[in-house]
């Protein structure tokens, strides 16, 4: 819980609602419990109205000072109760008598002085540490808690038989807080703890170590001591304290936390532990004070396998570096970890070393580490992560004689390689090389151990993988994520590559060639690159889509288009373009073929079916029909004797009599023919004019004969009569035979004008076209015919 104290001000209801919701969510999965979290809520007492089904109740970090039966008795399903960091002074354990399922009770960091006892049978975890108890708070009733696993206690004084009530229990973990312990004059105390696997003792954080109790534990496997403050004077007290505790043959793990000591005392502690059965020694948060001088150390035979020191502070500023490093470099153990310390160097062991594993993470080691060192021949793993290494060439050289080295981790340094002149020297045994988080460029590929199988180069500055690198035939896993690569590599130089991690680079157009080149790939991770979703990407998407999702890590979610804008954040999986728009040649061919077919079709239509004629006719037909619809009725009120007057040359009379007239009369169109409706005594022209004026429309059957013989009658009349101006609807021109423009005599201005301005209907030679021709003629009369007829009847 990292909530802040200011939440005190918030109302209880708010917290309650929030926790209630949390509880509901948690409950939804069957195995988990109904939990209510009210930690750090400024509570001064246990709130009323807790849900009765509460199983896990967290009220730690509040200001609760009292606990009553009524606070918890109704929570019959309560299993876990956390009350640490409150202000409880007094506790009657019988208040839990109705909480039969209670397994976990944390009352640490309160102000408990007294405990009234009552058996709680199901308890597994009971923490009473960091309280104000005087003597160990152990009731004989705890002896009934046969399931008890963890017990946290605190006391200021100890007595040998304090733990007798629980002597028969098989505990896993005892936490004993001796922060308030004080030494009584002339009184050597002792405490017998029976049966626990782990014992954790916490001493006062600021006082010099002074506890003189003989603590003996059976079957102890793991010992942890926290807050040890040593100088050259109390060092012996501490070692004496340890001698009883570390006697048992089962003690394998020993951990010291928060240690402040002189170098002299630390070396004495090491020397003391060397012949003991401890196999794993850990020291966390170590501070070295006063001075560092040369100390003798006898590397006797030891059971110790691993020494781990993490987070070391050195308060000594002037000292011989060698004095410090020599103690560690000669250690006859297999594993040594010194991390998060200010050490700047480590010595090469003087004789063949037993080290198999060295971990120097997060120190200030430089390139001079282990140069010309030929004694680390058993070293298998060397970790130099987070140091100050700069030159990859020197790192290679360092490994030269480490003939067993398999794993080298030099990640998080400032390594670069910019030599062109020299070849790198590496020991051939390296299999795993971690060069991640450095500042290496593509030149790193000229300086790699030849038999490396796993190579981690992520988070460097590699822009391309050169093709002319010395081949790494054993390379199976390559990680080049978080670089600036623009292309997928080929596997020409890495013939065994099976795992490639290349996400977070600058790959926009990966080529599918990769999949042909890298046949052994069984895992590729290439997501989070700025893919350019254009035609070129299709082949890649196809290839990657064919692989199973186990091979392509992160597919499809982390493979997204970055460009063009319109496809941004589209998954590659969903990016589709038609093959046509991607293939220019295909596109041109398609357009060409379509165009050609169109032209041929049109040509065929024109040549064989006279398409232009049809188009013209249909066009005229629709125009005529439209005009007929728009016709003004008033105009039609005028009385016409005939629907149509037909003028034609004698030469064309056969066509008029056999074709035109029967067709019109079939439609009930009344026709005025000047020879038929001839009024005697009038001149031809007068007759014609009468006919025209009594007809709704005038039809002229044009042919060269007509122009020669008949037109003379009309030319003068038309020139002066506005009835037949160019836009008039009353004129229908039928072109029976083509009239060449130059065959029209010059004097016929009107005819020329009409011929150029007006559309005329051509009589088609082909029988198949006759239908459309007649439809056009009929359209000119359509609709209004009846009106005219009716008009006539009325008059
Ligand atoms: C290399 O080191 C980094 C961190 O230093 C770690 O995350 C990564 O897993 C290591 N790579 C391999 C292959 O062990």
């Amino acid at each position: 819980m990292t909530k802040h104290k200011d939440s005190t001000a918030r109302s209880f209801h708010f917290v309650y609602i929030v926790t209630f919701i949390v509880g509901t969510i948690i409950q939804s999965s069957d195995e988990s419990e109904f939990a209510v979290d009210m930690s750090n809520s400024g509570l001064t007492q246990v709130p009323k109205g807790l849900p009765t089904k509460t199983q896990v109740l967290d009220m730690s970090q509040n200001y609760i000072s009292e606990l009553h039966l009524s606070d918890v008795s109704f929570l019959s399903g309560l299993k876990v109760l956390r009350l640490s960091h409150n202000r409880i002074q007094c506790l009657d354990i019988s208040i839990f008598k109705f909480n039969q399922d209670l397994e976990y009770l944390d009352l640490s960091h309160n102000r408990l002085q007294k405990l009234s006892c009552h058996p709680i049978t199901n308890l597994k975890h009971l923490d009473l540490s960091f309280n104000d108890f005087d003597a160990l708070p152990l009731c004989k009733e705890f002896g009934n808690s046969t399931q008890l696993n963890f017990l946290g206690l605190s006391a200021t004084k100890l007595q040998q038989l304090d733990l007798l009530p629980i002597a028969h229990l098989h505990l896993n973990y005892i936490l004993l807080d001796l922060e308030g312990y004080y030494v009584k004059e002339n009184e050597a105390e002792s405490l017998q703890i029976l049966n626990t696997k782990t014992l954790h003792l916490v001493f006062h954080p600021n006082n010099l170590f002074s506890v003189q109790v003989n603590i003996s534990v059976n079957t102890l496997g793991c010992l942890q001591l926290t807050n040890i403050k040593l100088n050259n004077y109390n060092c012996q007290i501490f070692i004496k304290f340890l001698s009883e505790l570390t006697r048992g043959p089962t003690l394998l793990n020993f951990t010291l936390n928060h240690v402040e000591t002189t170098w002299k005392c630390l070396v004495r502690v090491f020397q003391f532990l060397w012949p003991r059965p401890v196999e794993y020694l850990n020291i966390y948060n170590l501070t070295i004070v006063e001075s560092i001088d040369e100390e003798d150390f006898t590397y006797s035979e030891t059971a110790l396998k691993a020494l781990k020191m993490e987070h070391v502070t050195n308060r000594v500023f002037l000292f011989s570096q060698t004095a410090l490093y020599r103690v560690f470099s000669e250690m006859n153990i297999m594993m040594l970890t010194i991390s998060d310390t200010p050490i700047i160097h480590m010595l090469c062991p003087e004789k063949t070393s037993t080290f198999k594993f060295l971990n120097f993470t997060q120190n200030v080691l430089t390139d001079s580490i282990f140069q010309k060192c030929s004694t680390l021949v058993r070293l298998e793993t060397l970790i130099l992560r987070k140091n100050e290494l700069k030159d990859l060439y020197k790192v290679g050289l360092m490994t030269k004689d480490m003939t067993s080295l398999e794993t080298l981790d030099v990640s998080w340094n400032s390594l670069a390689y910019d030599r062109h002149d020299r070849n790198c020297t590496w020991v051939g045994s390296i299999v795993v090389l971690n060069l991640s988080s450095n500042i290496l460029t593509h030149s790193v590929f000229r300086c790699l151990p030849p038999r490396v199988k796993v190579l981690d180069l992520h988070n460097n500055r590699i822009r391309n993988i050169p093709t002319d690198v010395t081949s790494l035939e054993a390379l199976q896993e390559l990680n080049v994520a978080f670089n600036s690569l623009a292309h997928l590599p080929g596997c020409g130089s890495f013939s065994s590559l099976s795992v490639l991690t290349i996400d977070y680079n600058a790959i926009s157009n990966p080529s599918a060639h990769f999949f042909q080149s890298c046949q052994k790939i069984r895992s590729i991770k290439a997501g989070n690159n700025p893919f350019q979703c254009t035609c070129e990407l299709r082949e890649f998407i196809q290839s990657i889509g064919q692989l199973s999702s186990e091979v392509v890590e992160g597919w499809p979610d982390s493979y997204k288009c970055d460009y063009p804008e319109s496809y941004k954040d589209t998954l590659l999986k969903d990016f589709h373009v038609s093959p046509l728009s991607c293939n220019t040649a295909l596109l041109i061919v398609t357009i060409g073929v379509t165009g050609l077919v169109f032209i041929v079709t049109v040509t065929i239509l024109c040549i064989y079916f006279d398409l232009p004629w049809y188009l013209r006719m249909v066009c005229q037909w629709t125009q005529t029909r439209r005009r007929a619809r728009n016709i003004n009725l008033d105009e039609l009120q005028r009385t016409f004797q005939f629907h149509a007057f037909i003028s034609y040359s004698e030469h064309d009379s056969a066509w008029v009599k056999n074709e035109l007239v029967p067709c019109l009369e079939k439609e009930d169109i009344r026709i005025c023919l000047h020879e038929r409706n001839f009024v005697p005594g009038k001149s031809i022209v007068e007759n014609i004019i009468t006919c025209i004026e009594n007809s709704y429309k005038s039809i002229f059957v044009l042919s060269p004969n007509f122009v020669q013989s008949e037109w003379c009658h009309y030319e003068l009349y038309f020139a002066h009569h506005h009835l037949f101006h160019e836009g008039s609807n009353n004129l229908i021109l039928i072109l029976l035979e083509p009239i060449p423009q130059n065959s029209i005599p010059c004097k016929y201005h009107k005819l020329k004008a009409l011929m150029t301005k007006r559309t005329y209907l051509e009589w088609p030679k082909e029988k198949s076209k006759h239908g459309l021709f007649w439809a056009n003629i009929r359209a000119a009369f359509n609709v209004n015919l009846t009106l005219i007829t009716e008009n006539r009847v009325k008059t």
Side-chain angles (χ1 to χ4, degrees):
M1 280 301 130
T2 51
K3 290 185 193 167
H4 295 290
K5 280 281 175 201
D6 64 1
S7 62
T8 315
R10 279 184 223 141
S11 76
F12 158 65
H13 295 283
F14 173 72
V15 176
Y16 185 71
I17 289 164
V18 170
T19 53
F20 199 86
I21 292 165
V22 168
T24 319
I25 293 166
I26 289 170
Q27 203 203 14
S28 61
S29 99
D30 356 311
E31 277 164 71
S32 52
E33 287 137 333
F34 192 92
V36 177
D37 181 0
M38 279 186 217
S39 61
N40 210 339
S41 309
L43 303 177
T44 53
Q45 55 185 30
V46 178
K48 304 283 172 238
L50 290 167
T52 48
K53 55 183 171 177
T54 303
Q55 287 176 297
V56 177
L57 178 58
D58 189 349
M59 293 191 293
S60 57
Q61 318 228 32
N62 283 296
Y63 305 98
I64 298 168
S65 55
E66 284 180 327
L67 213 55
H68 304 287
L69 179 69
S70 58
D71 290 333
V72 290
S73 57
F74 61 99
L75 303 172
S76 53
L78 193 65
K79 278 187 176 168
V80 176
L81 178 59
R82 297 178 199 272
L83 277 163
S84 65
H85 295 277
N86 275 285
R87 296 174 173 179
I88 304 168
Q89 293 184 351
C90 232
L91 185 70
D92 184 353
I93 290 198
S94 69
I95 65 166
F96 299 113
K97 63 186 171 194
F98 297 115
N99 310 108
Q100 286 299 324
D101 292 340
L102 192 64
E103 290 175 356
Y104 187 107
L105 180 58
D106 185 357
L107 285 158
S108 63
H109 296 278
N110 275 280
R111 296 174 182 174
L112 283 170
Q113 291 175 340
K114 266 208 248 115
L115 208 60
S116 308
C117 297
H118 187 87
I120 342 178
T121 38
N122 284 323
L123 212 55
K124 290 178 181 159
H125 182 109
L126 174 63
D127 198 347
L128 296 166
S129 60
F130 302 97
N131 276 291
D132 297 341
F133 294 112
D134 208 19
L136 284 179
L138 281 174
C139 320
K140 62 177 190 308
E141 284 83 352
F142 290 172
N144 296 341
S145 306
T146 47
Q147 313 220 32
L148 203 62
N149 199 349
F150 177 100
L151 183 59
L153 300 167
S154 68
T156 59
K157 59 179 191 220
L158 300 170
Q159 271 163 12
Q160 178 156 21
L161 299 178
D162 276 352
L163 290 169
L164 197 61
I166 55 159
H168 59 286
L169 299 181
H170 291 272
L171 292 170
N172 236 331
Y173 201 111
I174 292 183
L175 168 63
L176 180 52
D177 144 46
L178 295 172
E179 275 193 6
Y181 178 87
Y182 57 95
V183 195
K184 282 112 230 143
E185 297 289 324
N186 306 323
E187 221 181 300
E189 291 175 292
S190 64
L191 177 71
Q192 205 153 16
I193 303 177
L194 301 162
N195 303 324
T196 181
K197 285 195 186 124
T198 302
L199 175 64
H200 185 181
L201 300 174
V202 182
F203 302 97
H204 195 280
N206 299 319
N207 295 353
L208 280 172
F209 186 85
S210 60
V211 181
Q212 300 187 29
V213 200
N214 265 331
I215 301 179
S216 57
V217 192
N218 284 344
T219 67
L220 187 61
C222 182
L223 177 64
Q224 288 186 41
L225 304 179
T226 300
N227 300 333
I228 315 280
K229 203 169 170 183
L230 302 170
N231 58 24
N232 293 343
Y233 305 102
N234 70 347
C235 198
Q236 190 53 38
I237 300 177
F238 181 61
I239 286 173
K240 189 157 173 278
F241 177 78
L242 288 185
S243 59
E244 187 63 36
L245 269 174
T246 56
R247 200 186 299 281
T250 51
L251 182 66
L252 300 183
N253 280 291
F254 183 28
T255 300
L256 293 161
N257 256 315
H258 284 279
V259 184
E260 187 184 306
T261 177
T262 57
W263 172 244
K264 194 184 185 72
C265 184
L266 182 65
V267 175
R268 281 182 69 188
V269 171
F270 285 150
Q271 189 74 77
F272 165 77
L273 289 172
W274 224 247
R276 302 268 147 178
V278 174
E279 291 184 3
Y280 296 90
L281 174 60
N282 307 308
I283 305 177
Y284 301 116
N285 297 300
L286 170 70
T287 306
I288 298 175
V289 295
E290 282 183 27
S291 64
I292 297 176
D293 299 306
E294 203 97 32
E295 302 293 338
D296 284 335
F297 194 93
T298 315
Y299 299 96
S300 56
E301 211 176 298
T302 181
L304 196 65
K305 287 182 182 156
L307 169 63
K308 187 196 260 184
M309 294 170 63
E310 272 179 14
H311 194 70
V312 180
T313 312
N314 186 5
R315 295 251 181 82
V316 186
F317 297 107
L318 278 176
F319 63 98
S320 149
Q321 300 275 333
T322 326
L324 181 72
Y325 306 141
R326 188 55 72 199
V327 170
F328 296 106
S329 68
E330 305 309 312
M331 281 183 171
N332 50 341
I333 58 176
M334 284 194 308
M335 296 189 257
L336 175 65
T337 299
I338 301 178
S339 75
D340 193 9
T341 80
I343 66 162
I344 55 171
H345 193 58
M346 183 48 66
L347 296 174
C348 177
E350 279 174 349
K351 44 186 199 300
T352 302
S353 169
T354 51
F355 288 133
K356 282 187 166 177
F357 174 96
L358 286 178
N359 181 355
F360 296 134
T361 296
Q362 209 178 346
N363 299 300
V364 242
L365 301 172
T366 62
D367 290 335
S368 60
I369 178 95
F370 296 142
Q371 289 296 330
K372 303 208 174 80
C373 181
S374 56
T375 47
L376 289 166
V377 287
R378 295 192 198 153
L379 191 62
E380 290 170 5
T381 301
L382 176 58
I383 300 172
L384 296 170
R385 189 185 301 160
K386 291 191 179 165
N387 277 284
E388 306 270 297
L389 305 178
K390 291 198 165 65
D391 189 352
L392 185 63
Y393 177 80
K394 287 200 171 155
V395 171
L397 211 53
M398 168 191 79
T399 67
K400 194 166 135 259
D401 298 312
M402 299 178 176
T403 46
S404 307
L405 191 65
E406 289 184 352
T407 302
L408 176 63
D409 182 349
V410 284
S411 59
W412 291 103
N413 280 280
S414 311
L415 286 171
Y417 178 74
D418 35 31
R419 299 170 191 240
H420 299 278
D421 47 340
R422 278 193 278 177
N423 278 332
C424 285
T425 311
W426 288 94
V427 71
S429 54
I430 293 180
V431 175
V432 179
L433 178 58
N434 198 335
L435 291 169
S436 63
S437 303
N438 280 289
I439 50 172
L440 294 159
T441 62
H442 67 278
S443 60
V444 67
F445 287 96
R446 289 200 302 269
C447 182
L448 292 171
R451 285 203 278 279
V452 67
K453 284 186 186 164
V454 179
L455 179 59
D456 193 339
L457 276 167
H458 84 262
N459 193 20
N460 274 284
R461 298 183 184 168
I462 305 168
R463 287 163 170 274
N464 63 302
I465 297 179
T467 41
D468 59 341
V469 297
T470 28
S471 64
L472 298 172
E473 267 156 33
L475 189 66
Q476 291 170 0
E477 292 182 27
L478 175 62
N479 185 342
V480 281
F482 294 95
N483 278 284
S484 311
L485 289 163
H487 302 286
L488 286 179
C491 287
S493 317
F494 321 120
S495 51
S496 307
L497 194 68
S498 65
V499 178
L500 177 66
T501 309
I502 195 164
D503 48 342
Y504 294 99
N505 272 280
I507 300 173
S508 53
N509 273 321
S511 88
H513 167 74
F514 169 81
F515 298 100
Q516 282 122 48
S517 156
C518 304
Q519 293 286 340
K520 291 189 183 159
I521 284 290
R522 57 179 169 77
S523 168
I524 176 171
K525 189 172 180 184
N528 296 299
N529 273 295
F531 293 110
Q532 218 169 345
C533 287
T534 53
C535 294
E536 287 87 79
L537 203 65
R538 283 178 318 139
E539 211 184 328
F540 174 77
I541 297 175
Q542 239 167 35
S543 310
I544 210 165
Q546 276 161 11
L547 300 171
S548 80
S549 58
E550 286 146 47
V551 175
V552 189
E553 266 192 73
W555 180 267
D557 294 344
S558 52
Y559 296 74
K560 290 180 187 158
C561 299
D562 185 62
Y563 180 89
E565 220 38 54
S566 53
Y567 281 111
K568 202 168 171 70
D569 292 333
T570 308
L571 296 181
L572 292 202
K573 175 177 75 98
D574 301 329
F575 170 70
H576 304 288
V577 274
S578 69
L580 194 61
S581 58
C582 284
N583 191 333
T584 328
L586 189 61
L587 185 66
I588 290 171
V589 167
T590 312
I591 292 177
V593 167
T594 318
L596 207 65
V597 167
F598 180 75
I599 291 168
V600 168
T601 316
V602 169
T603 315
I604 289 173
L605 283 176
C606 290
I607 293 173
Y608 292 97
F609 301 103
D610 206 359
L611 185 69
W613 183 86
Y614 279 104
L615 288 179
R616 225 164 42 235
M617 288 303 267
V618 168
C619 187
Q620 277 181 26
W621 180 74
T622 42
Q623 269 175 14
T624 321
R625 287 196 59 117
R626 204 183 52 235
R627 268 205 297 268
R629 217 173 300 136
N630 292 343
I631 212 129
N632 185 356
L633 279 175
D634 287 342
E635 205 185 313
L636 295 174
Q637 297 302 323
R638 286 175 29 208
T639 316
F640 289 112
Q641 217 181 330
F642 304 102
H643 290 129
F645 158 69
I646 302 177
S647 175
Y648 58 96
S649 141
E650 210 37 58
H651 195 264
D652 303 322
S653 66
W655 180 78
V656 171
K657 296 218 172 93
N658 297 332
E659 301 270 3
L660 184 59
V661 173
C663 179
L664 291 179
E665 285 185 334
K666 201 164 75 203
E667 301 287 326
D668 275 346
I669 296 171
R670 289 141 80 53
I671 297 166
C672 175
L673 293 172
H674 64 90
E675 76 267 17
R676 196 164 74 185
N677 305 79
F678 192 77
V679 180
K682 281 190 178 178
S683 71
I684 294 176
V685 176
E686 277 172 332
N687 261 309
I688 288 171
I689 289 168
T690 317
C691 238
I692 289 174
E693 283 174 353
N694 281 326
S695 300
Y696 172 45
K697 304 242 171 183
S698 302
I699 301 174
F700 290 88
V701 180
L702 303 179
S703 67
N705 293 316
F706 182 81
V707 174
Q708 299 301 329
S709 59
E710 295 294 325
W711 185 255
C712 56
H713 301 309
Y714 302 100
E715 184 67 19
L716 202 62
Y717 174 74
F718 282 148
H720 297 288
H721 213 290
H722 288 287
L723 191 62
F724 297 109
H725 57 84
E726 280 86 356
S728 165
N729 283 333
N730 298 341
L731 201 56
I732 298 173
L733 302 178
I734 294 173
L735 193 63
L736 196 60
E737 284 167 44
I739 306 173
Q741 274 287 313
N742 52 14
S743 75
I744 303 174
C746 298
K747 51 184 179 171
Y748 293 164
H749 302 292
K750 195 65 199 173
L751 180 63
K752 280 190 171 171
L754 282 171
M755 292 283 285
T756 46
K757 295 225 174 87
R758 287 213 44 131
T759 48
Y760 39 81
L761 299 166
E762 279 175 72
W763 170 249
K765 297 271 177 295
E766 300 89 339
K767 220 178 155 92
S768 60
K769 293 179 183 171
H770 289 178
L772 191 54
F773 176 83
W774 293 124
N776 256 296
I777 298 281
R778 280 198 297 274
F781 290 95
N782 216 7
V783 193
N784 309 307
L785 214 50
T786 36
L787 277 171
I788 302 163
T789 325
E790 277 166 15
N791 252 333
R792 274 182 51 83
V793 171
K794 265 185 242 157
T795 50

